[in-house]
Amino acid sequence: MNEDGTEQTGGKILEGVTVLDLSTFVTGGFCSAMLANQGAEVVKIEQPGYGDAIRHSGPPFIQGESPYYWTLNYGKKSIELDLKNPDAKEALYELVEETDIFIQNFRPGTAERLDVDYETLSEHNDDLIYLAISAFGQTGPWAERSGYDLLIQGMSGIMSVTGEEGRQPAKVGLPMTDLITAMWAAFGATTALYRREQTGEGEYIDLGMLEATLPWLTKQAGMVFAGEETKRMGTKDPVLAPYQTFETKDGYINVCILNEKLWGELCTAIDREDLVDDPRFAKNANRVDHLDELEAEIESTLTQETTETWISVIAEDAGVPAGPVYDVDEALDNPQIDARGTISEIDHPELGSVPVIEHPLKFENADSGFEMAPPLLGEHNRDVFREHGYSESEIDELERLGVFGDDEV
């Protein structure tokens, strides 16, 4: 409480929460990055001498570091533990005793073989929140299959509705199902923390990528529930028109019309009031039925001017939802993103500084944000155990026993 009796604000919401992240690549990594952004202390446990495989994902590399690795690992600490070494396993169990959330994304059965399964770890900490991420979950006929984003994009139906009609199914150009799963994981971990506050009980969370993705089908799932067939439509929409990408004189523009008011405002803005009175385009349902003719009419006008001109006319002057199709470098560097402080830099122990993409939650009464660069492999081997109460001589003994890998001996 403040001196005047009001509730104190500020600080990060997850300060005091500790996370051990034994996962590799994206699903667990982005989940724990989200938790780190909100103040959790995240300790990344890595294979000695090699680390998380995403460290080697590239090119490109910058002085031996993978920028892809950075985007998933801001704000964390890194320790190396050789889990085939019994002494390393005991050291892990001691860390687990003071851990709130444990994350792994092994194929089902692997955690048991490594003695880091929920049953084993909960013996050392009975209020532990244990997050087990896998491709298909811990049960069912496909549980033991391995799986990655491409497979899940295909099996979830996403690829069947992505790309141009009549062409090969297309993958979304980012690891969409990995990131979807990571966000469910962070949501599950924080809701389990809330439940633990109410009950005092720990939790085991079984999260499968395929199931994590299905709720995101929304519109397409609704069509299937109504007995309709889904299909690939490029940038077009199955139930709204015009809601798609159009070519301009020098690029592309997205136009999003959700009702008749916006339709009329668009036609006025581009000086095509004749389209309002055309019976083919009178209502949204008519426009959907005559989508090819609608596209031809609008694009014949939009190709006469540049994207910048049309953004000024349609979005800024008329207030109709429209925007350019940016390259990634433009998406990361534009007036809106600059004004919001989304892209900044963070100090790095070897590179001076590295770019950081801040996470978007901006709280009125709490802080958020990354404070540490993506860690070097094993950068915090000694720090983490020192903070856990180990003396320097005890940490020396861990090194001698090969807990941090043979390279440390």
Side-chain angles (χ1 to χ4, degrees), residues 78-80 378-385 395 404 408:
S78 167
I79 65 173
E80 299 166 282
E379 180 180 347
H380 303 96
N381 282 351
R382 299 186 70 90
D383 292 346
V384 167
F385 283 95
I395 298 173
F404 305 132
E408 295 286 340

Side-chain angles (χ1 to χ4, degrees), residues 306-383:
T306 66
T307 298
E308 184 177 359
T309 297
W310 286 124
I311 293 301
S312 177
V313 169
I314 298 172
E316 296 177 4
D317 296 341
V320 174
V325 178
Y326 280 152
D327 293 334
V328 174
D329 59 343
E330 295 172 305
L332 295 172
D333 183 12
N334 60 71
Q336 180 65 23
I337 291 302
D338 292 346
R340 300 280 286 177
T342 305
I343 309 298
S344 60
E345 292 188 340
I346 198 165
D347 291 337
H348 188 279
E350 290 189 351
L351 301 180
S353 66
V354 297
V356 57
I357 305 173
E358 271 298 347
H359 287 192
L361 295 174
K362 299 181 186 297
F363 297 100
E364 181 71 23
N365 297 313
D367 298 325
S368 61
F370 295 113
E371 297 181 357
M372 298 190 302
L376 302 173
L377 177 60
E379 180 180 347
H380 303 96
N381 282 351
R382 299 186 70 90
D383 292 346

Side-chain angles (χ1 to χ4, degrees), residues 149-161:
D149 174 70
L150 177 62
L151 301 186
I152 304 302
Q153 286 205 32
M155 297 175 75
S156 66
I158 288 177
M159 289 178 64
S160 75
V161 295

Side-chain angles (χ1 to χ4, degrees), residues 157-164 168-172 231-234:
I158 288 177
M159 289 178 64
S160 75
V161 295
T162 304
E164 298 290 340
Q168 186 182 60
K171 171 186 173 292
V172 177
K231 60 182 179 179
R232 293 187 293 283
M233 299 184 66

Side-chain angles (χ1 to χ4, degrees), residues 110-123:
T110 301
E112 286 77 8
R113 290 194 294 273
L114 291 173
D115 298 319
V116 295
D117 54 292
Y118 176 68
E119 287 71 19
T120 300
L121 298 191
S122 61
E123 291 177 2

